[in-house]
Structures are given as C-alpha cells and as structure tokens.
Amino acid sequence: MTAPDTVQQVVIIGSGPAGLTAAIYAARANLEPLVVEGVVEGGPTGGQLTLTTDVENYPGFAEGVMGPELILQMRMQAERFGTSFVTEDIVKTNLDQRPFTLETASGGTIATHALIVATGAKPRRLEIPGEEELWGAGVSACATCDGFFFRDKHVVVVGGGDSAMEEAIFLTKFASKVTVVHRRDELRASQILQDRAFANERIEFVWNAVPTEVNGTDGQVSSLTLKDTRTGEVQDLPADGLFLAIGHIPNTWLFDGSLETDDDGYLVVEEPTTRTNVAGVFACGDVMDHTYRQAVTAAATGCKAAIDAERWLAAGGAEG
Ligand code: NAP
C-alpha cells in the first residue's frame, strides 16, 4: 500500500446517478471531486442504469432516453466542471480517523476530508441449488445484457416488481415465450408496466410459486423446480433461461462496522440530510434508499450529499 500524495476535499464512491449528480454539484462548488468507479464487484461502472434500455420516467426526456446515454451525459457534465475519475475497486475503508483513507485493489491509498458513499445496490439472488453453478449458463440478472442469447427460447423471469415486468417485456423481443413466476397472486409492479405485461401475448404468469432448484442439462439451464407457496406442491417447468428480478441488496460491505445500517442493510442517514453516523461521511442513492429507488431520486439525494459535504467542509468540519 502506497501513501497518498494529496488529500482530496471530496471523494465520491460510485458513478450511478447519485454519485454523478453529487460530482456535478461538488465540482460546481469548486471542490474538485474525485469519483471512484468500479466499486461494485462484478457490477457495471455507471450503476444499474447502464443495464437498462429505455428510461421513460427521467424528467426532461419527453421521448425517453437510453440508460447508458443518460449516464454518459451525467458523466460528461461532471467532467466539464472539474470532476476527476479513477476506475478502481476500493477494498478497504478507514473512517476512524481523518482524513479518511480508502485502499484500492491495486495497492494505492486515497485520502479525503469528506466522503460521499453512492455505491448502489446489487441484484438479489434466490440462493437455491443450481443457481450459482448455472450462472452465465442460462441464469442471469440482466435481460439487457443476456436477452439476445435466448432467441426463440423459453425463459422464466422471477419476481413481481417493476424490474420483473420490464425484463419480461424486453425478453419478448427475443424469446418465443416468457413465463413470469411470482410468489404471490398479485404484482407489485406499477400499473402501466402490469398492463403492458398482461397485454403481451408472449408473456404467461405462474402465480404463487417460487423456484427451489435450477436444473441443467449439458451445463445449460433446462428446467426449474417450482414449489407452490400455498400447497407446497412441486412441479418441473422446462426452460432455457432464468432471469432474476427479485430486488436488490445495498452495497455496504466496504463499511461494515463503521457506518450504521438498518435491518435490511441500507445505510442510515440523519433525515432530511444525507449525513451518516460518521461526521464527514454522506450517503446517497440506492445504498441508503429502500423506498423510492428511482434514477431521479438517486440523483436528488446525490445533490443533497454534495451540498451537505460542501457545508460541512465550509463550517470547518474537517478540522473538527
Ligand atoms: P422490488 O420492487 O423490490 O420487487 C421485487 C419482487 O421480487 C417482488 O415482487 C417480490 O415479491 C419478489 N421477491 C423478492 N424476494 C424474492 C424471493 N426470495 N423469491 C421470490 N420472489 C421474491 O424490486 P424491483 O422490481 O427491482 O424494483 C426496485 C425499485 O426500482 C422499485 O422501487 C421500482 O419501482 C424501481 N424500478 C422502477 C422502474 C421503472 O419505473 N421503470 C423499473 C425498474 C425498477 P413480493 O411482491 O411478494 O414482495
């Protein structure tokens, strides 16, 4: 591990809409922020939006905008005002002393007076036999990335929320049939997406069921074992692919023991601010929000975090 040459005013970990909006605001406050991207193990730089296609509900885009394009624009906007980027995995943080230090996977150290955590969330897994073994061989959590491989095949989407409906609808571009398996008999998804899914004749629903095993033939997914959540009855559903859309887990492992989390693992902030339990550390986006989890709300909390950090630095917080 090498010693840091300089101490940053503000470091932002994460480069989704929360992190990039924090960067835009911090840069415009002349704090010359450093964004560390690539912090989510196996996840994309730019966060979950880079895994989506059309974003239809981000204000300002009457015709919608592609997720990766939206992220690219935010990134260029942040750069324009003096944000620096480093693509590095942070492997350890030390928030016990100031300046805070972050250790990178390549052995470097980044020191900063204020820290904005925007590490987002990663897809939840079912934790059932066969899921890990067949990951990438029919099991996926990203229809946008992997849907193409299922042309004229039968795929299953698990979940009943907005993500599940979006994934199912998207997959009908390729798959001959998409079966949505949901553990209850009503969806959680917004009405507009429910209506679209119900109207799509390639989508079928299996209600009150959960997969209990992913079965493979020649190293590829060939069927799922489904259990009825009411009767316990078990059946085999032949399928070529399984897409998980069962929610997300906040990426907080980097801060275990130092930042307070709630029962679901989300970072706790002092509402209505973005202050965490450690003075000088602020949290924004999906890592602290389990209620709204929208690109626009992530961006909004990113803005709040940058303003909170700026005010904390201006009030001499770093010297305190
Ligand atoms: P979500 O709303 O938390 O839905 C997760 C779904 O998975 C629920 O239907 C849940 O069932 C089910 N589930 C959870 N754990 C399960 C398990 N172990 N086995 C089987 N099923 C399980 O997650 P999401 O769909 O990823 O959406 C997250 C947030 O992003 C939401 O706020 C959503 O509105 C937003 N989002 C918005 C859009 C959009 O506006 N276009 C698109 C995607 C996501 P229960 O219903 O029984 O709990």
Side-chain angles (χ1 to χ4, degrees), residues 57 160-163 166 182-184 188 246 248 292 294:
N57 51 11
D162 283 334
S163 299
E166 268 192 355
H182 184 38
R183 63 184 178 185
R184 295 186 291 134
R188 176 185 292 277
I246 56 169
H248 294 86
Y292 302 104
Q294 306 296 304

Side-chain angles (χ1 to χ4, degrees), residues 48 52 54 56-57 124-126 158-166 181-184 186-190 193 209-211 245-248 286 290-294:
Q48 296 173 63
T52 64
D54 294 297
E56 294 180 340
N57 51 11
R124 185 186 299 282
R125 297 203 180 184
L126 285 162
V158 186
D162 283 334
S163 299
M165 294 312 105
E166 268 192 355
V181 173
H182 184 38
R183 63 184 178 185
R184 295 186 291 134
E186 69 181 331
L187 298 173
R188 176 185 292 277
S190 56
L193 287 175
V210 284
I246 56 169
H248 294 86
D286 284 5
H290 49 80
T291 309
Y292 302 104
R293 294 176 295 183
Q294 306 296 304

Side-chain angles (χ1 to χ4, degrees), residues 83-116:
T83 301
S84 307
F85 288 85
V86 52
T87 306
E88 277 270 26
D89 284 329
I90 304 286
V91 291
K92 200 172 166 204
T93 57
N94 182 353
L95 308 182
D96 293 337
Q97 59 195 43
R98 298 217 198 99
F100 305 126
T101 51
L102 316 172
E103 284 179 33
T104 67
S106 60
T109 301
I110 297 168
T112 185
H113 292 302
L115 179 66
I116 295 179

